[in-house]
C-alpha cells in the first residue's frame, strides 16, 4: 500500500546536508529539535520550530575553539547557556558569550604514532579521526568519547568514555574502551533521562555500541551488541524503552531493549543507513537498491514500531522524491533535503 507524503513546509538552510549525512542534530527532552551546523570557524544553532516559522537567523553562534578543526560531534546544553566542543586534544566548554568555561585535556586523536606537537592548543594535526560529546538533558553532565592514552608504541593507545561535571569539567567517571580504534563517533541521549548511548564507527573494523548510566556514584554500561561489531545505533523514542539499529551492511533493521535483546527484526530489504521513529507507533526506514528485479526497492517505508512489519511505502509528490537520506523527527514528521537548492522540507503522512 502506498502512503502519500504531505508537504508541511520548506526552508532554505545552507549547510543542512550535514543534518542527513552527519550527526549535528540534537533532540532535547520535551521534543525540541536542533540543528548544529558548522559554518567556517563558527557553530550555528538553529531551533527547527523557529526555523520553519520563518526565523532564519541562528539562535546561537559560537566560535570554534580551534580554527581549522572541522571534525568531532559537539553539543549545546538545553538552555543554550554553553556548548561542549569535541576537539583533537581536548573537550572545551564554551559559554554563550564565547568565553571558555573549562577545558578537559586528553591525548591526540591523530593515530599516527609519535607525530609532533608544537604546544599550541590550536594546532590541528593531519589525522582524520575524532570523538564526540553530548550534554545530558538536565545540563549537569558532559559525556565525552576521548583518547585516554597515546604513546610511541601502538600498544599504548587507549580510548575511553568519560563523564564530566558540566560546571567545572571535573572527571566523574570513565570507561576504558580497549576495543575501540575510532574513525568517529556520536552520542544519543535516551528519553528516559538516565541513559546515554555511544556509537563508535571504526571503518572496515566495524562498529561499537554502548549504553551508559551515571547515578552520581557508579557508571553502569551495556555493551552486549559488540560481539558482532556490526550494529549501528540510529534512534530512540519516549514511547520505547530501547533503541533502533541497522546492520552495518544493511542486511536487517532491529528494535532492541537497552540490554541489547532483540525485540523485533526486519530483514526483508537491504536497508539504508537512514531510519528512525516517525512517532511512537511508526518507524520510517529507507531501503536500498539491491540489484534485484523487485520494483519495490529502493523506497521509503513505514513500519510498525513494535513488530517492524511493513505498513506501506511512502510516495512523495512528482518531482519531490528525495534523492538521499531522510531524517525522522519522532513527532509524526520527517525531513528531506534538496542539494541543488539547499532546501530542507518537512513532511507528514496523509491521513488515511
Amino acid at each position: 500500500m502506498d502512503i502519500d507524503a504531505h508537504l508541511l513546509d520548506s526552508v532554505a538552510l545552507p549547510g543542512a546536508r550535514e543534518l542527513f549525512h552527519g550527526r549535528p542534530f540534537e533532540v532535547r527532552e520535551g521534543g525540541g529539535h536542533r540543528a548544529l551546523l558548522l559554518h567556517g570557524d563558527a557553530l550555528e544553532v538553529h531551533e527547527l520550530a523557529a526555523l520553519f516559522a520563518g526565523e532564519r537567523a541562528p539562535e546561537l553562534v559560537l566560535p570554534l575553539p580551534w580554527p581549522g578543526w572541522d571534525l568531532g560531534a559537539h553539543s549545546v546544553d538545553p538552555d543554550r547557556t554553553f556548548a561542549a566542543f569535541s576537539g583533537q586534544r581536548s573537550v572545551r566548554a564554551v559559554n554563550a558569550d564565547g568565553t571558555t568555561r573549562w577545558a578537559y585535556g586528553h591525548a591526540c586523536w591523530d593515530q599516527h604514532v609519535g607525530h609532533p606537537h608544537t604546544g599550541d592548543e590550536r594546532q590541528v594535526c593531519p589525522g582524520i579521526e575524532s570523538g564526540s560529546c553530548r550534554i545530558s538533558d538536565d545540563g549537569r553532565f558532559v559525556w565525552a568519547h576521548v583518547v585516554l592514552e597515546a604513546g610511541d608504541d601502538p600498544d599504548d593507545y587507549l580510548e575511553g568514555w568519560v563523564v564530566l561535571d558540566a560546571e567545572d569539567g571535573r572527571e566523574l567517571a570513565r570507561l576504558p574502551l580497549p576495543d575501540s580504534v575510532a574513525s568517529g563517533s556520536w552520542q544519543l541521549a535516551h528519553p528516559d533521562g538516565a541513559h546515554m548511548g555511544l556509537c563508535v564507527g571504526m571503518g572496515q573494523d566495524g562498529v561499537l555500541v554502548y549504553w551508559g548510566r551515571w547515578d552520581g556514584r557508579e557508571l553502569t554500561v551495556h555493551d552486549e551488541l559488540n560481539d558482532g561489531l556490526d550494529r549501528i545505533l540510529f534512534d530512540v523514542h519516549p514511547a520505547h524503552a530501547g533503541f533502533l539499529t541497522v546492520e552495518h551492511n544493511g542486511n536487517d533493521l532491529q528494535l532492541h531493549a537497552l540490554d541489547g535483546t532483540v525485540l523485533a527484526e526486519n530483514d526483508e530489504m537491504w536497508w539504508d543507513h537512514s531510519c528512525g521513529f516517525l512517532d511512537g507507533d511508526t518507524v520510517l526506514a529507507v531501503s536500498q537498491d539491491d540489484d534485484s528485479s523487485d520494483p519495490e526497492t529502493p523506497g521509503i517505508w513505514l513500519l510498525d514500531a513494535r513488530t517492524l512489519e511493513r505498513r506501506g511505502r511512502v510516495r512523495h509528490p512528482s518531482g519531490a522524491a528525495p534523492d538521499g537520506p531522510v531524517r525522522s523527527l519522532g513527532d509524526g514528521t520527517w525531513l528531506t533535503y534538496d542539494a541543488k537548492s539547499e532546501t530542507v522540507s518537512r513532511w507528514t503522512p496523509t491521513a488515511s
Side-chain angles (χ1 to χ4, degrees), residues 32-316:
H33 300 82
R34 288 178 178 169
L36 277 59
L37 301 174
L38 291 180
H39 279 171
D41 287 328
L43 179 71
E44 296 184 354
V45 181
H46 295 268
E47 297 287 348
L48 289 187
L51 188 67
F52 282 117
E55 180 54 66
R56 300 297 185 263
E59 300 276 337
L60 180 66
V61 179
L62 288 170
L64 286 178
W66 317 276
W69 172 251
D70 59 359
L71 300 174
H74 316 301
S75 184
V76 176
D77 85 310
D79 298 327
R80 299 193 301 273
T81 58
F82 79 100
F85 289 92
S86 177
Q88 198 169 38
R89 291 180 301 280
S90 67
V91 175
R92 185 172 294 268
V94 177
N95 294 313
D97 62 4
T99 60
T100 295
R101 177 180 290 199
W102 49 260
Y104 174 87
H106 57 75
C108 187
W109 272 108
D110 186 338
Q111 293 172 8
H112 181 73
V113 174
H115 69 277
H117 292 125
T118 65
D120 184 349
E121 64 175 14
R122 296 172 298 176
Q123 176 190 1
V124 176
C125 300
I128 60 172
E129 301 82 12
S130 62
S132 61
C133 56
R134 184 64 153 82
I135 302 170
S136 61
D137 280 339
D138 60 10
R140 298 173 56 201
F141 309 114
V142 176
W143 295 69
H145 176 210
V146 302
V147 180
L148 297 176
E149 301 173 13
D152 293 335
D153 188 326
D155 292 338
D156 294 336
Y157 182 82
L158 178 65
E159 296 175 16
W161 198 17
V162 297
V163 183
L164 309 176
D165 188 296
E167 287 297 321
D168 56 21
R170 286 180 300 116
E171 182 181 308
L172 303 175
R174 69 164 57 186
L175 174 72
L177 303 176
D179 297 325
S180 181
V181 184
S183 298
S185 69
W186 59 90
Q187 302 191 42
L188 191 61
H190 198 282
D192 66 5
H195 290 89
M196 186 68 70
L198 170 66
C199 188
V200 180
M202 301 188 294
Q204 65 183 9
D205 294 327
V207 187
L208 297 168
V209 175
Y210 302 89
W211 282 100
R213 182 177 185 271
W214 169 247
D215 64 4
R217 299 181 304 276
E218 182 181 6
L219 176 63
T220 56
V221 176
H222 290 294
D223 61 358
E224 290 85 356
L225 286 187
N226 292 335
D227 288 344
L229 299 175
D230 61 358
R231 306 305 308 180
I232 303 176
L233 173 63
F234 265 94
D235 205 10
V236 292
H237 193 277
H240 296 266
F243 58 97
L244 282 173
T245 69
V246 173
E247 196 269 340
H248 188 252
N249 293 314
N251 291 315
D252 60 61
L253 171 67
Q254 292 181 348
L255 176 69
H256 303 264
L258 272 177
D259 65 2
T261 301
V262 177
L263 304 177
E265 179 182 77
N266 187 307
D267 58 3
E268 300 173 300
M269 300 279 187
W270 186 26
W271 298 106
D272 193 9
H273 293 174
S274 182
C275 71
F277 287 103
L278 180 64
D279 54 35
D281 298 319
T282 312
V283 167
L284 186 144
V286 178
S287 60
Q288 304 181 63
D289 186 351
D290 60 4
D291 297 323
S292 72
S293 59
D294 187 347
E296 291 191 331
T297 58
I300 299 175
W301 299 89
L302 299 186
L303 314 178
D304 184 282
R306 288 172 176 80
T307 66
L308 297 185
E309 294 177 355
R310 284 186 290 168
R311 289 180 173 173
R313 182 172 178 168
V314 175
R315 180 172 57 192
H316 288 82

